[in-house]
Amino acid sequence: MEEKREVERKYEADGSDVRLPDLTGVRGVAAVHDEGVTELDAVYYDTPDLRLAAASLTLRRRTGGADAGWHLKFPVATGIRDEIRAPLSESLPPSLAGLLRSRVRDEPVAPVVRLRTSRAVRHLAAADGTPLAELATDTVHAQRLPTGPATTWTEIEVELADDTAGADEALLDAVEKRLKTAGIRRSSSPSKLARALEETGTDVPEAGEGTEGDGTAGAAVLAYVRTQADALVALDPAVRRELPDAVHQMRVAARRLRSAFKTYRKVLDRTVTDPVGEELKWLAGELGHARDQEVLQARLSAALDALPPALVVGPARRRLRTWDSTRSGEAKSRGLVALDSARHLALLDRLDALLAAPPLRPTARKKAKKALPEAVLRDYRRLADRVDLALALDPGTERDLALHEARKAAKRARYAGEAATPTLGKPAKRFAKRMKRVQSCLGDHQDSVVARAALLDLATEAHEAGESAFTWGVLVGREQAAGDADERALPELWERASAPEIRAALSH
């Protein structure tokens, strides 16, 4: 597969005889080269209920032009999309099918629109010949497939050249200003496919339908659940593409969902949500191996780099790289196997079913401003009990385990506050921030505990290989000191986070 970022803007054009203004001199444009006309033929694919179009995704098979093949486009921001390309073939390549799996599930994709485009291309170049952008005047003939209505229009696309796609959009702004002066306006359609569907009378379902609130606890909780469920679907292809932080964000979405089911168990029936929560726990666990290894490796590498050279004895860096390479490869594979499993698709289907027919309890009919604070404060009391228990224990393994349980409770309390923020506003937001600080302190402590165990394993491996274990012992001592510091910081941090006015504000 080949991937590129597409930064472009589209403009309306009246009729096929479009008079473009002279663009030389526009923000570094020294020349405009006429590259002739190319004939393009593209068939766009989707499910019968247009799931891809609803999510602003486009999948096409194009012939003609320099980029013939299969193209899958993901929206990034207005006018910016990531395009993944695969070679031309008769059927959808498996690499692209995997990226669509969370959207289409077991539903096959089929042709929905055919676009035949006559494209007149001009290249905007700098004085040294460097390409800056491509301007294309497209005469488009669109037909709804298999035998639906047809439509024709002309539009203009201005796209930054590949090697400038990471730059700012000042060039596009300057070109747009010149086009606007010539009477050429920005297109109201985000893509050719969207315009083709609209002009052939095809209704595309809107993403996020059903999230309108009525002020009840049920509406507030379901809106939050829908947001997290949508995130699971959207992040699936991002994880497969190994985009930065994608694994972490998908894992967080799974945990937020599971936490919401527990926190708001008086709103949603646990006999329905508990089994779904177990599946979310499984998914977060499978994804977590890669994320945990990534965090651990970064921590150990930074600790090793911080040591004075005299304390780095033997091939410590090489051993750490080898240790990480084995574990991270296995962890990534495990996460992808989970995403490819029937179990994962079944989980997504169950979430859809839950949102379509919510298992609401009587509390769901209460006003959200009354029911949500009660649920948030229940989670706070749960956290308070766990913190008190941990702080009452002597330092050691038992206390470490108790602090880890308190960390889980702090995370749940934080998520509860975040879920309530749209309803309760600043008090819930302030509460969530305080809980996040507690979670971070406890998380740092747990990271230290996990790092110590990993360092002891590395020390054992080094010793068995005839290497010095001295460096690993030094790092164990430093991690112990870091964990002790977190434990000393916790009481004061907890005192601030548990201030009565923070909790009281939730109910006012």
Side-chain angles (χ1 to χ4, degrees):
M1 289 191 304
E2 176 188 353
E3 185 166 337
K4 62 166 286 190
R5 176 148 292 183
E6 179 183 82
V7 183
E8 69 175 15
R9 295 183 187 175
K10 297 179 182 292
Y11 301 89
E12 306 278 358
D14 297 325
S16 58
D17 184 20
V18 180
R19 296 185 179 276
L20 293 171
D22 182 9
L23 296 174
T24 54
V26 173
R27 196 172 176 84
V29 176
V32 179
H33 303 295
D34 190 337
E35 302 294 329
V37 177
T38 301
E39 301 299 326
L40 307 173
D41 193 343
V43 174
Y44 287 75
Y45 288 72
D46 208 331
T47 59
D49 56 358
L50 301 178
R51 297 179 194 177
L52 302 184
S56 299
L57 303 181
T58 58
L59 172 67
R60 72 185 178 202
R61 181 182 183 274
R62 173 186 276 177
T63 56
D67 63 347
W70 287 89
H71 304 161
L72 174 59
K73 297 187 180 186
F74 290 91
V76 176
T78 302
I80 303 176
R81 295 186 292 181
D82 283 342
E83 181 177 280
I84 295 91
R85 298 176 178 176
L88 194 63
S89 60
E90 289 302 318
S91 58
L92 178 64
S95 57
L96 297 188
L99 296 177
L100 295 172
R101 194 166 184 262
S102 65
R103 294 281 180 194
V104 304
R105 316 286 167 83
D106 294 321
E107 194 74 32
V109 294
V112 293
V113 167
R114 182 184 184 187
L115 296 182
R116 288 171 293 162
T117 303
S118 182
R119 168 166 290 181
V121 176
R122 294 171 177 83
H123 286 166
L124 312 185
D128 62 359
T130 300
L132 299 176
E134 178 180 283
L135 186 150
T137 303
D138 292 340
T139 301
V140 184
H141 301 274
Q143 182 181 15
R144 185 72 165 92
L145 298 177
T147 56
T151 184
T152 300
W153 73 87
T154 300
E155 68 178 37
I156 296 166
E157 287 185 4
V158 184
E159 180 179 348
L160 291 179
D162 290 349
D163 56 356
T164 63
D168 62 42
E169 298 182 52
L171 173 60
L172 294 181
D173 290 339
V175 170
E176 179 167 310
K177 185 176 181 180
R178 187 70 60 90
L179 293 176
K180 188 176 181 180
T181 301
I184 298 172
R185 63 191 183 279
R186 186 85 76 97
S187 175
S188 59
S189 295
S191 67
K192 287 183 174 65
L193 175 61
R195 182 165 181 173
L197 291 171
E198 180 183 357
E199 295 197 5
T200 56
T202 305
D203 292 328
V204 178
E206 294 184 13
E209 284 185 333
T211 60
E212 296 80 10
D214 57 7
T216 64
V221 172
L222 287 173
Y224 182 77
V225 168
R226 185 181 297 278
T227 296
Q228 304 310 320
D230 288 347
L232 283 184
V233 172
L235 287 164
D236 181 302
V239 170
R240 296 172 187 272
R241 293 165 60 198
E242 298 187 11
L243 296 185
D245 209 36
V247 171
H248 173 61
Q249 292 300 326
M250 189 172 186
R251 188 186 188 191
V252 167
R255 285 177 164 173
R256 281 177 170 152
L257 270 171
R258 184 167 178 255
S259 181
F261 291 153
K262 291 179 176 293
T263 296
Y264 299 108
R265 59 187 181 275
K266 291 191 176 182
V267 175
L268 297 176
D269 189 347
R270 290 189 64 178
T271 61
V272 176
T273 61
D274 277 358
V276 180
E278 286 303 305
E279 292 305 284
L280 289 165
K281 181 181 179 180
W282 161 78
L283 177 61
E286 295 302 293
L287 293 171
H289 295 288
R291 173 62 180 174
D292 290 345
Q293 181 61 29
E294 179 184 341
V295 171
L296 181 57
Q297 164 64 13
R299 186 181 182 102
L300 298 186
S301 182
L304 190 57
D305 290 343
L307 285 179
L311 297 183
V312 182
V313 180
R317 288 185 175 81
R318 186 177 69 222
R319 176 154 296 283
L320 181 59
R321 286 194 299 269
T322 302
W323 174 86
D324 176 63
S325 177
T326 300
R327 285 159 180 77
S328 61
E330 292 173 352
K332 287 180 181 178
S333 296
R334 187 167 177 173
L336 291 176
V337 167
L339 294 185
D340 282 335
S341 68
R343 186 174 181 178
H344 177 50
L345 289 191
L347 168 59
L348 297 180
D349 286 342
R350 290 174 79 172
L351 287 169
D352 285 349
L354 186 151
L355 287 163
L360 298 175
R361 299 188 65 198
T363 300
R365 295 193 294 271
K366 287 186 177 181
K367 290 295 183 183
K369 289 188 175 182
K370 178 175 176 58
L372 268 57
E374 295 172 356
V376 174
L377 291 174
R378 273 199 308 272
D379 279 352
Y380 164 79
R381 290 190 290 271
R382 176 173 174 269
L383 168 60
D385 289 343
R386 293 194 180 187
V387 171
D388 289 345
L389 173 63
L391 292 177
L393 296 171
D394 293 329
T397 301
E398 190 176 350
R399 190 184 210 193
D400 290 342
L401 292 172
L403 288 170
H404 183 42
E405 291 303 310
R407 171 179 175 251
K408 295 177 185 177
K411 186 179 297 184
R412 179 161 145 186
R414 170 196 165 189
Y415 290 161
E418 290 174 348
T421 295
T423 298
L424 304 180
K426 288 184 179 180
K429 186 176 182 180
R430 192 178 303 116
F431 173 86
K433 283 185 175 180
R434 295 292 179 97
M435 296 304 104
K436 183 178 180 180
R437 291 184 188 126
V438 175
Q439 176 198 330
S440 296
C441 178
L442 292 168
D444 288 342
H445 179 270
Q446 177 63 16
D447 288 347
S448 171
V449 172
V450 172
R452 276 175 256 163
L455 288 166
L456 289 172
D457 287 343
L458 282 161
T460 300
E461 290 181 9
H463 177 74
E464 291 176 349
E467 301 165 6
S468 171
F470 172 80
T471 298
W472 307 117
V474 171
L475 292 178
V476 168
R478 291 195 169 198
E479 286 292 354
Q480 181 68 57
D484 292 344
D486 292 326
E487 291 186 38
R488 290 193 298 272
L490 179 60
E492 183 179 348
L493 184 64
W494 174 242
E495 184 177 356
R496 292 197 301 269
S498 59
E501 61 269 21
I502 299 295
R503 306 193 303 277
L506 291 172
S507 301
H508 292 162

